[in-house]
Amino acid sequence: MLKKLSFLTMIMFLFLSCSSLNSRTVAIDSYSTLEAYPGTYYLSTNTPGFQLQQKAFENNLESMLRTKGYRRTSNPKDALYKIIYNYKINGPYTQFDTYPAPISPYWRGGYGFRGRHDDLFYSDIWFNSIDTSTYFVKTLDISAYTNDGRAVWQTISSLKNSNNDLRDSFPYLISATSQYINVNSNKVVYVSVPEIKN
């Protein structure tokens, strides 16, 4: 029984140390400089990338902005705002996590107590184990400007993930960002996003 509990405890610590890599928690920092109302916008990006990938990202972004009352136009002259989005992936980074783990739940002779070589006995000797994991930081920056170039609002959202593919993280960045369009957060806030089914 003790052996089983020790094994389960070790698995739990391993799970907790790695769970942050699959986190759906998004850090948001948002700014709002003008009292602005939703309207038409022209969308562009300065981030180089694959055209089809960016089209998929823009569809997600357009859908979110529509729920906020913004309507996309393909003609910059018809737009009340110019909205620019950019994204990047930084990493890989290495994360070190420590957790207590038993050296072994059972010892046979020569360990624990000196001179005891003939018996099997339980030992509660623990040590700090180090677990390493690799992660990437994915960031989405969305900024809105008036036609004469005045900044209206900006959101910067980031999350940590175990892979460098933005496709599975972009919907989470968009979902968290939607709550802070044209809002001044005054600090970095953390939004936990429910799992999004593809």
Side-chain angles (χ1 to χ4, degrees):
M1 180 65 178
L2 289 172
K3 186 174 183 180
K4 187 176 182 180
L5 284 174
S6 297
F7 178 73
L8 290 174
T9 301
M10 189 161 43
I11 293 298
M12 182 185 71
F13 279 114
L14 282 171
F15 174 78
L16 289 175
S17 65
C18 295
S19 62
S20 60
L21 294 179
N22 298 317
S23 174
R24 300 307 183 196
T25 300
V26 179
I28 298 275
D29 198 2
S30 63
Y31 306 87
S32 178
T33 60
L34 298 172
E35 185 177 357
Y37 301 95
T40 55
Y41 69 93
Y42 178 77
L43 186 65
S44 65
T45 182
N46 298 323
T47 304
F50 298 110
Q51 187 175 1
L52 291 178
Q53 177 177 278
Q54 287 185 340
K55 183 173 178 58
F57 293 167
E58 289 181 4
N59 287 341
N60 280 329
L61 185 53
E62 181 181 356
S63 178
M64 181 272 287
L65 289 170
R66 191 181 308 119
T67 66
K68 297 296 179 181
Y70 291 87
R71 299 182 318 279
R72 185 178 180 181
T73 178
S74 58
N75 187 348
K77 294 180 180 179
D78 296 334
L80 188 59
Y81 304 106
K82 181 178 183 181
I83 295 181
I84 302 174
Y85 76 97
N86 291 295
Y87 53 87
K88 62 182 176 180
I89 302 172
N90 291 324
Y93 302 109
T94 301
Q95 175 175 306
F96 297 91
D97 294 305
T98 60
Y99 58 93
I103 294 177
S104 174
Y106 291 93
W107 296 91
R108 182 181 297 277
Y111 301 95
F113 298 101
R114 289 184 181 178
R116 188 162 185 175
H117 298 278
D118 59 344
D119 199 4
L120 186 67
F121 60 94
Y122 177 74
S123 174
D124 59 354
I125 300 174
W126 292 70
F127 74 108
N128 283 332
S129 182
I130 298 176
D131 182 54
T132 61
S133 53
T134 300
Y135 69 93
F136 298 83
V137 176
K138 305 171 185 182
T139 303
L140 172 64
D141 180 342
I142 308 171
S143 303
Y145 301 89
T146 61
N147 279 331
D148 57 1
R150 289 182 298 162
V152 181
W153 53 258
Q154 180 184 37
T155 62
I156 303 170
S157 56
S158 299
L159 64 74
K160 185 170 70 172
N161 196 266
S162 59
N163 65 59
N164 63 351
D165 188 350
L166 191 62
R167 287 174 293 185
D168 62 347
S169 300
F170 203 83
Y172 291 91
L173 293 168
I174 289 290
S175 178
T177 297
S178 68
Q179 304 174 44
Y180 290 90
I181 295 296
N182 201 22
V183 172
N184 212 333
S185 65
N186 296 312
K187 61 179 181 179
V188 176
V189 295
Y190 297 90
V191 178
S192 182
V193 180
E195 185 176 0
I196 298 174
K197 301 291 185 181
N198 291 333

